[in-house]
Amino acid sequence: MNDFTSIAGALARVRARMDAAALAAGRDAAGVTLVAVSKTHPVEAVQAAMAAGQAVFGENRVQEAAGKFAGLAGARLHIIGGLQTNKARDAVAVADVIESLDRKSLADAIEKAVQAAGRCPDLLVQVNIGDEAQKSGVALAEADGFIRAMRARFGARVTGLMCIPPEGVDAAPYFRRLAAMADAHGLGVRSMGMSGDFEAAIAAGATHVRVGSAIFGARG
Ligand SMILES: *Cc1c(COP(=O)(O)O)cnc(C)c1O
């Protein structure tokens, strides 16, 4: 069964690797936030991570996240990955950050939900950095225009960019491309890097890495 006692050690190892990657890149480790991706893992796993000092979590299903985090005071929740328009209202209600703003219909739904809720999470524009047919994220050719439009609409709530590079190839060029795009728009946040490549992401300027399996183990 689940062994939640292994989570503290796994977290410590990930944090040590993040620190080493920041040092190697000549960066301040404090400039990189670990988003612990707890999707599919039970609330006990999140509690074990919180007991080990972890405060920021990522989930990709709004319903699952709402149930899991309802009673967890002090946790900060990032919604990551493709977000359905009909889930925007719940996402606005529970999220501190929505990392997957990638199309006008979703922006419309978020704006409506924000007006009704009287609160607005921070927003990251997800860029389809490898221009892959199946992937969510705004297409590269439309990214600059979309980012400008979202900043005009949501102002300072748009804090940065997020990407998931193609699998099975060196992710570094994609990370560098996202960082350059964020620079060009004067956006501070770059959410990039997962269990398999977070060190390369930190080398390329990630401010947030989203790490799941290296902390919580394989997903069932
Ligand atoms: C699941 C997921 C992650 C974490 O992936 P791991 O390989 O388990 O670290 C990161 N980002 C997104 C968008 C995800 O859906």
Side-chain angles (χ1 to χ4, degrees), residues 101-123:
L101 177 56
D102 66 352
R103 59 196 188 280
K104 184 179 177 299
S105 60
L106 181 58
D108 293 344
I110 288 174
E111 187 172 25
K112 209 171 138 203
V114 163
Q115 280 160 3
R119 83 187 289 270
C120 186
D122 284 346
L123 303 169

Side-chain angles (χ1 to χ4, degrees), residues 39 59-62 79-85 87 91 98-103 106 126 134-137 162 164:
K39 64 188 185 196
E59 291 274 345
N60 65 344
R61 288 174 194 269
V62 178
I79 294 296
I80 59 175
L83 180 60
Q84 288 172 261
T85 303
K87 298 285 177 0
I98 294 174
E99 297 205 8
S100 39
L101 177 56
D102 66 352
R103 59 196 188 280
L106 181 58
Q126 181 174 351
Q134 304 304 321
K135 231 168 216 161
S136 43
M162 178 272 207
I164 309 171

Side-chain angles (χ1 to χ4, degrees), residues 122-203:
D122 284 346
L123 303 169
L124 305 186
V125 171
Q126 181 174 351
V127 179
N128 187 351
I129 201 73
D131 259 340
E132 296 172 277
Q134 304 304 321
K135 231 168 216 161
S136 43
V138 61
L140 276 181
E142 293 157 26
D144 285 325
F146 186 73
I147 292 164
R148 278 194 293 271
M150 292 303 100
R151 297 187 81 186
R153 194 192 273 218
F154 294 104
R157 285 303 184 181
V158 177
T159 56
L161 306 181
M162 178 272 207
C163 77
I164 309 171
E167 277 177 52
V169 296
D170 180 15
Y174 297 100
F175 292 151
R176 286 195 290 269
R177 185 161 197 175
L178 191 82
M181 201 179 284
D183 279 348
H185 286 274
L187 290 167
V189 173
R190 306 91 182 262
S191 172
M192 53 190 197
M194 319 201 307
S195 290
D197 54 20
F198 66 84
E199 284 135 322
I202 289 169

Side-chain angles (χ1 to χ4, degrees), residues 197-211:
D197 54 20
F198 66 84
E199 284 135 322
I202 289 169
T207 61
H208 292 66
V209 294
R210 309 177 307 270
V211 179

